[in-house]
Amino acid sequence: MSDFEDEEGVDEPVLDDENEEEGTEEEEKPPENPLTEEMLADSLSLMCKTGDGLAHAYVRLDVHEKELTDISILNCFIHLRYVDVSGNQLMDISSLNSLTHLLTLKADRNALHSAKLDELPYLQIASFANNKIMDTEGINHPLLEQLNLSFNEIVEVTGFDPVKLDRLRVMELRGNKLMTTVGLSSLPNLKELYLAANTIRTLEGLDRLEHLASLHLRDNQIEKLDGFSENMKNLQYLNLRGNNVTDMKEIAKLKCLPLLRALLLMECPVSDEDDYRIEVLISLRRLERLDKDEYTDDERQEAEEIYEQRRQEEALAAGTQEVIHTDDDD
């Protein structure tokens, strides 16, 4: 029996007969189509002074969706600051290492297996979405603020230098193959983290992200809400939609988040519980919005009354238990 037959909705991979025993054949390379001087002439714009102020040069290059396979000519265009090479067939962008004035790089929708580049001292925004990148090594640009690695094949986060990446504020890793959040703790200044559509089961290391304000974990495989802590004192938005949270008791683990105001749990099994909205509010009394709807004054009043009633019942039960223990001691 095939390993895939038990998995509903998963097609068995088709192997080439001639290579079945030797593994899949090498990735077919597209026809050569290098970036030329003629193409550059139509793609350069924004004339600015060079760094020394003594000359002028074009600083913006847009060659998206040109079916390019080679951009090595860019070695000579060291003054470029804004580069868009998205939507091509590039497997190598090492020629960008010479662009030491680069501020923004868009390299989405190519055939890259790595986002590794030499340290680019001024790079602030970099996007490598929809490639075939398998790791996060070699991304250490000291002024980087936004990094997009969504829809690649990354299994584990490694190689991030917290000193070099201390300015990184927005990280996108949606649609990869992550099973855990280990490795993200080395980015302590993150404010927005996008991890939707992975296969994450456990949350580890996130408690070190004390500046994190928005955390997107939609469509993963999370059952337990361990991994949060009071150190995450700035987290306001948490999206857990489409996960496997089944027990309402897990929601109480989010009490440690003092600024949590918006929580998404729709399409989790727990959202089918009776009085779901009220029970969540009883656990998280400062919450302002659950799923798509803000809490009404009536809901708040009902939750507060139930909370107070339960608190009194627990206090009474604790007092009764104390009396029983005292009698036993006598």
Side-chain angles (χ1 to χ4, degrees):
M1 177 186 292
S2 166
D3 291 338
F4 289 83
E5 287 183 13
D6 291 334
E7 296 190 38
E8 183 178 350
V10 178
D11 295 329
E12 186 170 351
V14 178
L15 298 177
D16 187 274
D17 292 339
E18 296 180 2
N19 295 284
E20 189 169 359
E21 295 182 0
E22 300 176 6
T24 57
E25 56 184 317
E26 290 186 12
E27 185 176 342
E28 183 178 349
K29 292 185 178 181
E32 290 293 326
N33 183 29
L35 180 60
T36 63
E37 291 185 3
E38 291 77 13
M39 297 171 67
L40 276 169
D42 295 328
S43 305
L44 290 167
S45 62
L46 190 59
M47 180 78 74
C48 292
K49 287 185 177 181
T50 57
D52 57 14
L54 301 177
H56 289 77
Y58 288 111
V59 299
R60 175 173 287 137
L61 173 69
D62 186 347
V63 288
H64 75 283
E65 297 182 0
K66 303 288 187 183
E67 298 185 357
L68 297 173
T69 60
D70 185 346
I71 56 171
S72 57
I73 192 175
L74 295 182
N75 275 319
C76 303
F77 291 79
I78 61 174
H79 298 294
L80 287 174
R81 301 176 192 172
Y82 311 96
V83 171
D84 185 350
V85 294
S86 56
N88 286 291
Q89 302 181 58
L90 300 173
M91 301 179 70
D92 178 17
I93 56 172
S94 59
S95 56
L96 301 180
N97 287 329
S98 61
L99 308 187
T100 55
H101 297 279
L102 196 61
L103 299 176
T104 299
L105 171 61
K106 292 181 66 176
D108 305 331
R109 305 188 313 281
N110 279 285
L112 300 175
H113 288 270
S114 173
K116 185 176 182 179
L117 287 168
D118 292 347
E119 184 177 307
L120 297 171
Y122 301 110
L123 186 63
Q124 298 174 24
I125 300 173
S127 185
F128 303 94
N130 293 95
N131 278 280
K132 300 177 181 180
I133 296 169
M134 303 183 71
D135 60 57
T136 56
E137 298 287 336
I139 306 174
N140 289 306
H141 312 293
L143 294 187
L144 193 63
E145 296 181 1
Q146 299 180 31
L147 175 61
N148 189 347
L149 291 166
S150 294
F151 306 107
N152 280 286
E153 300 176 12
I154 299 168
V155 176
E156 183 180 8
V157 175
T158 59
F160 286 142
D161 185 333
V163 176
K164 293 288 180 64
L165 293 174
D166 68 334
R167 289 176 176 260
L168 190 62
R169 299 294 184 266
V170 181
M171 164 68 83
E172 297 194 42
L173 281 162
R174 293 172 291 172
N176 279 281
K177 298 179 180 180
L178 298 175
M179 296 183 66
T180 177
T181 54
V182 168
L184 290 167
S185 60
S186 58
L187 303 171
N189 293 320
L190 279 181
K191 291 187 176 181
E192 299 177 29
L193 180 56
Y194 298 84
L195 297 170
N198 281 277
T199 57
I200 296 172
R201 297 176 182 272
T202 59
L203 303 175
E204 302 174 66
L206 295 182
D207 56 335
R208 295 186 59 187
L209 305 182
E210 61 179 290
H211 298 287
L212 195 65
S214 182
L215 177 57
H216 298 250
L217 289 161
R218 177 178 176 175
D219 294 332
N220 278 282
Q221 299 176 19
I222 300 167
E223 296 182 21
K224 304 293 184 182
L225 298 184
D226 301 308
F228 295 96
S229 81
E230 61 277 1
N231 192 51
M232 303 174 74
K233 54 191 176 184
N234 289 296
L235 189 61
Q236 301 177 39
Y237 176 93
L238 177 58
N239 189 340
L240 290 164
R241 178 176 179 175
N243 277 276
N244 298 332
V245 182
T246 60
D247 192 341
M248 189 63 70
K249 293 179 181 178
E250 293 298 314
I251 309 303
K253 295 177 181 178
L254 303 179
K255 288 181 180 179
C256 62
L257 304 173
L259 288 186
L260 186 63
R261 296 295 180 265
L263 175 65
L264 276 74
L265 288 167
M266 57 197 303
E267 298 175 22
C268 291
V270 72
S271 66
D272 295 327
E273 293 282 327
D274 293 337
D275 299 321
Y276 155 67
R277 286 183 58 83
I278 297 299
E279 289 297 332
V280 171
L281 188 56
I282 292 170
S283 292
L284 306 174
R285 298 165 67 201
R286 291 187 291 266
L287 201 64
E288 296 177 358
R289 179 165 70 90
L290 178 62
D291 299 330
K292 296 182 179 181
D293 299 315
E294 292 190 0
Y295 277 107
T296 65
D297 290 340
D298 289 343
E299 286 177 314
R300 291 195 174 282
Q301 182 176 348
E302 181 181 353
E304 193 64 28
E305 290 173 355
I306 296 174
Y307 170 82
E308 183 61 27
Q309 179 182 346
R310 291 178 182 176
R311 188 187 67 80
Q312 292 179 8
E313 290 173 352
E314 290 173 2
L316 181 61
T320 302
Q321 192 68 27
E322 184 177 345
V323 170
I324 293 174
H325 284 312
T326 301
D327 291 343
D328 290 343
D329 292 341
D330 293 342

